Amino acid sequence: MALPTQTIQAIAVSPGIAIGRTTRIIDQSRHWEPQLHKITADEVDSELSRYVAALALTRTQLINLRKEVRDKLQAQDAEIFDAHIMIVDDHKLNAEVEKGIKTDHFSAEYALYITSEHVANVFSAMPDEYLRERSADIRDVTSRILSNLTNIQVPGQELDLDARRIIVAHSLSPSETAELDIEKVLGFAVETGSVTSHAAILARSMHLPAIVGIPPELPEQLTADDKIIIDGFGGKLVINPDARTEEAYRLKKAEVGQIRSRLESESELQPETTDGFIVQLAANLDSPDKIAEVKRCGASGIGLFRTEYLFMNRSTLPNEEEQFEVYKKILAECDNAPLIVRTLDVGGDKFNTNIYRANEQNPFLGFRGIRLCLHERRDILETQLRALLRAGVFGNLKIMLPMVSSIREVIEVRSIVGQLQHQLKSEGKEYVSDLSLGVMVETPAAALMADKLAPLVDFFSIGSNDLVQYTMAIDRGNERVAYLYRPSHPAILELIRVCVDAARKHNIWVSVCGQIAADVYMVPLLIGLGVHELSMTPSSVAVVRRVIRSMAMYEMEQAAQAALNCTNATDALAIAEVLINQRVPEVANI
Ligand code: PEP
Ligand code: MG
């Protein structure tokens, strides 16, 4: 049954408007609770058959998964599926479910759910850790059988959609988002995340309108009969809109489309302020196949290539040769424009089980980025650096390091680079001898040490997504604290100022490659603070170019000074809003 017409206020994370039917994804990590549903005596047989069919389908899926994992990984990695198949075939459990259907007249979903919850709870209470963990396996298998009973998608299974649909889910991981087929998906609405969570970053790069912070019960309540609108500008979710509302959104979509195409037609124009200062506008690249878009948007180069996407959604690590070919190809496409490659930044929400096995309480504060690469997976760092040093001779390559929080880390990487150069030389291979190396400033420690880091590097790139997260102490994946994500906060502006001043003193340049580089209100403040380059998702370059071409440098400098003197984020933002509304009102709401 379709839900009543309603509008829900959530959080906008990727611009655009999507209108369509939904498909729900049940997150395996959250347990779906089927409601008590009674069947009639006449329905018992068909309910039993449904249950048996779902078991058979689940068994087939697990056997296929076991084979796939055995082929790609080690045999012991596939053992988990043996345990899962045993749960599917468990006579006692199945007899209990059948009893629930036959005697209590429960629906198959409900009978399965209460039976398996009972068993899982018994395991959870056991003193032995190994047995306690089995409760997760039972819930995992139950989730799969439930999904087969209800035809609801489970992450990891390919979406089988007849028409393009809007995904509604509790959460989407970066790898699940990367796997979405944009031919089949119109956009998504999820419960967890924020504007800087990696699923949101990917949504913007895939041009999918997206919102986060929807009510937790919504994915279970929506059905294929419900039509929804995702407003990726205002962060709204409209369920079963009336004709007038739908028409208004269609008009807005068309209007924004027109403004955007007008701005995109200016891709040849210089990003030059009205008083003649040129700002570098670069693009962020999440996957090598997006390079054509980078070229189309008129970016001056690639300011951040997030290499973790080369490591995602695969069971083996990319070796030196494979990476060498990828970097070389991108450099050739860049045609001597700069390409800044960031070394692997796995951890946080960019979880990859092949590399990162630790189960941490606070992954964003844990073994992430350069820490992991220097201390546990130096093999990965060395392979990547070797591939980069070799590919670098084919273009204008720069390398930067993620999550730096101490001088020591930079010194260690420099020393590894020196050893690898020596190695390559003795192997008679061509390599870059004068490597341009930068650090990402994304921890307050790095910003406050900028004066001491600057002599060791060739550039800074401010990773504001993390810098805001660590400065404001807000988990970037947690929608509950997303309201505290205020990049105009004077504390953030001050850290950027410290960084720019140190760079100026040591004659190096500063880029910003986090989401704020594409935030039209932050752009005047960043340029006014003295940032040289902004790097962003390619689809934002046109709008930011227009902002820069509409203002004078001195106006941005005045705005930045005034914002620095504010006592709070709202007042600082208001200063930028006045400037935007005076000079480029057309970009205010797109
Ligand atoms: C950042 O932190 O701003 C950044 C660009 O890196 P990522 O979003 O990949 O963590
Ligand atoms: Mg970061």
Side-chain angles (χ1 to χ4, degrees):
M1 207 176 61
L3 290 176
T5 299
Q6 56 191 294
T7 300
I8 291 166
Q9 183 63 54
I11 303 164
V13 296
S14 179
I17 286 165
I19 304 174
R21 305 263 165 208
T22 65
T23 190
R24 300 175 285 170
I25 294 184
I26 288 192
D27 182 344
Q28 283 167 305
S29 62
R30 282 179 61 107
H31 205 49
W32 177 52
E33 290 182 28
Q35 302 301 305
L36 170 60
H37 176 70
K38 288 269 196 172
I39 55 170
T40 63
D42 292 348
E43 288 169 327
V44 166
D45 285 345
S46 63
E47 204 63 5
L48 286 171
S49 315
R50 228 162 53 81
Y51 181 61
V52 171
L55 284 182
L57 178 57
T58 307
R59 190 182 302 105
T60 310
Q61 287 169 347
L62 290 170
I63 290 170
N64 290 344
L65 274 171
R66 180 175 62 184
K67 181 173 176 329
E68 213 174 292
V69 171
R70 254 193 211 143
D71 290 348
K72 289 183 185 162
L73 299 170
Q74 318 263 354
Q76 72 258 33
D77 291 324
E79 279 169 13
I80 178 75
F81 297 109
D82 292 331
H84 283 197
I85 293 166
M86 276 164 71
I87 297 172
V88 173
D89 291 339
D90 189 293
H91 289 304
K92 222 164 145 214
L93 193 133
N94 288 329
E96 275 304 303
V97 177
E98 286 172 13
K99 189 167 147 240
I101 298 172
K102 280 188 204 154
T103 320
D104 302 319
H105 288 184
F106 291 148
S107 65
E109 287 89 338
Y110 190 72
L112 168 66
Y113 175 68
I114 51 160
T115 309
S116 73
E117 268 305 284
H118 174 70
V119 180
N121 286 336
V122 171
F123 274 96
S124 298
M126 292 195 175
D128 182 280
E129 194 187 338
Y130 175 81
L131 292 175
R132 259 201 325 271
E133 281 174 6
R134 300 291 63 78
S135 62
D137 291 332
I138 294 167
R139 293 197 164 104
D140 202 354
V141 174
T142 302
S143 197
R144 187 172 281 280
I145 306 173
L146 282 174
S147 135
N148 287 330
L149 273 168
T150 53
N151 236 347
I152 291 171
Q153 301 288 337
V154 171
Q157 290 178 13
E158 201 179 316
L159 288 179
D160 183 16
L161 309 178
D162 42 3
R164 289 184 80 192
R165 293 203 177 230
I166 297 172
I167 290 179
V168 182
H170 290 297
S171 68
L172 278 179
S173 69
S175 51
E176 284 157 5
T177 312
E179 271 191 327
L180 293 177
D181 179 350
I182 49 173
E183 301 296 317
K184 293 181 175 174
V185 174
L186 287 166
F188 65 79
V190 295
E191 182 195 343
T192 60
S194 73
V195 74
T196 61
S197 56
H198 286 92
I201 291 172
L202 281 175
R204 292 192 290 274
S205 114
M206 294 159 86
H207 303 274
L208 288 176
I211 57 174
V212 302
I214 62 166
E217 63 282 4
L218 202 63
E220 273 84 41
Q221 289 172 343
L222 286 166
T223 70
D225 293 336
D226 291 300
K227 183 184 243 188
I228 63 172
I229 299 177
I230 289 185
D231 172 359
F233 300 108
K236 292 192 171 61
L237 174 71
V238 189
I239 301 174
N240 296 316
D242 56 40
R244 223 199 288 147
T245 308
E246 186 172 333
E247 184 53 20
Y249 272 107
R250 285 195 191 282
L251 283 176
K252 162 108 182 159
K253 190 174 166 151
E255 193 190 323
V256 170
Q258 277 170 7
I259 299 176
R260 287 197 153 266
S261 13
R262 211 171 53 237
L263 297 182
E264 276 156 19
S265 70
E266 297 174 355
S267 67
E268 301 285 313
L269 299 179
Q270 281 277 29
E272 183 178 358
T273 63
T274 53
D275 50 355
F277 288 88
I278 293 182
V279 177
Q280 297 303 318
L281 293 189
N284 292 350
L285 185 70
D286 294 328
S287 125
D289 56 21
K290 289 270 173 356
I291 189 85
E293 203 185 338
V294 171
K295 286 163 106 175
R296 241 191 343 264
C297 75
S300 59
I302 294 171
L304 162 65
F305 175 28
R306 287 185 167 95
T307 54
E308 25 309 338
Y309 296 101
L310 296 179
F311 292 71
M312 234 173 220
N313 295 334
R314 52 184 292 161
S315 52
T316 54
L317 296 174
N319 63 23
E320 179 181 323
E321 227 35 55
E322 182 182 341
Q323 290 190 60
F324 168 72
E325 290 301 334
V326 172
Y327 304 138
K328 185 177 154 191
K329 188 156 174 260
I330 301 175
L331 280 164
E333 300 270 9
C334 283
D335 198 17
N336 234 29
L339 163 67
I340 305 183
V341 177
R342 175 174 74 186
T343 60
L344 183 68
D345 182 21
V346 83
D349 64 346
K350 290 175 286 193
F351 180 81
N352 183 317
T353 43
N354 290 329
I355 299 169
Y356 185 78
R357 291 186 181 273
N359 185 11
E360 298 182 304
Q361 293 282 342
N362 292 302
F364 275 113
L365 298 181
F367 220 29
R368 196 191 148 180
I370 200 65
R371 303 171 179 184
L372 175 79
C373 284
L374 280 174
H375 297 284
E376 199 171 282
R377 297 308 305 259
R378 201 176 265 235
D379 56 324
I380 295 180
L381 180 66
E382 289 185 0
T383 305
Q384 184 169 36
L385 287 173
R386 269 181 64 100
L388 283 166
L389 287 168
R390 286 175 52 208
V393 295
F394 296 96
N396 185 355
L397 174 80
K398 301 173 198 302
I399 298 179
M400 67 181 175
L401 312 174
M403 268 299 280
V404 166
S405 57
S406 75
I407 303 282
R408 177 94 240 129
E409 290 157 339
V410 183
I411 294 173
E412 275 187 54
V413 174
R414 280 242 180 248
S415 142
I416 294 173
V417 167
Q419 287 164 24
L420 296 175
Q421 285 169 325
H422 188 71
Q423 225 175 58
L424 289 166
K425 188 173 179 185
S426 57
E427 290 168 19
K429 297 210 164 99
E430 273 199 290
Y431 63 93
V432 176
S433 53
D434 53 346
L435 176 70
S436 173
L437 184 74
V439 290
M440 291 196 68
V441 178
E442 39 189 5
T443 63
L448 295 170
M449 296 282 284
D451 194 34
K452 301 191 176 76
L453 277 169
L456 300 176
V457 295
D458 300 292
F459 62 95
F460 287 148
S461 185
I462 298 177
S464 54
N465 302 336
D466 280 314
L467 188 60
V468 175
Q469 154 167 266
Y470 297 125
T471 307
M472 301 301 295
I474 48 165
D475 175 349
R476 64 194 267 191
N478 182 344
E479 69 290 351
R480 289 194 177 82
V481 287
Y483 75 98
L484 285 170
Y485 173 81
R486 304 294 306 275
S488 60
H489 193 291
I492 306 295
L493 301 180
E494 183 58 25
L495 288 175
I496 297 174
R497 185 193 65 77
V498 166
C499 195
V500 171
D501 283 358
R504 204 173 274 145
K505 185 168 145 200
H506 294 278
N507 210 15
I508 63 171
W509 51 275
V510 184
S511 167
V512 172
C513 64
Q515 166 58 17
I516 59 172
D519 176 336
V520 291
Y521 299 104
M522 287 303 293
V523 167
L525 302 183
L526 296 174
I527 302 304
L529 282 169
V531 165
H532 305 94
E533 175 184 283
L534 299 174
S535 188
M536 66 207 76
T537 178
S539 58
S540 297
V541 170
V543 179
V544 174
R545 180 188 290 106
R546 170 59 73 92
V547 172
I548 287 165
R549 291 180 54 79
S550 311
M551 292 175 195
M553 180 61 98
Y554 76 88
E555 289 178 307
M556 297 194 253
E557 283 172 353
Q558 280 170 1
Q561 267 315 314
L564 272 174
N565 291 333
C566 288
T567 56
N568 60 69
T570 308
D571 291 354
L573 184 65
I575 292 167
E577 278 170 350
V578 169
L579 200 53
I580 291 287
N581 290 334
Q582 274 173 359
R583 299 283 182 257
V584 257
E586 69 273 26
V587 304
N589 290 313
I590 61 170

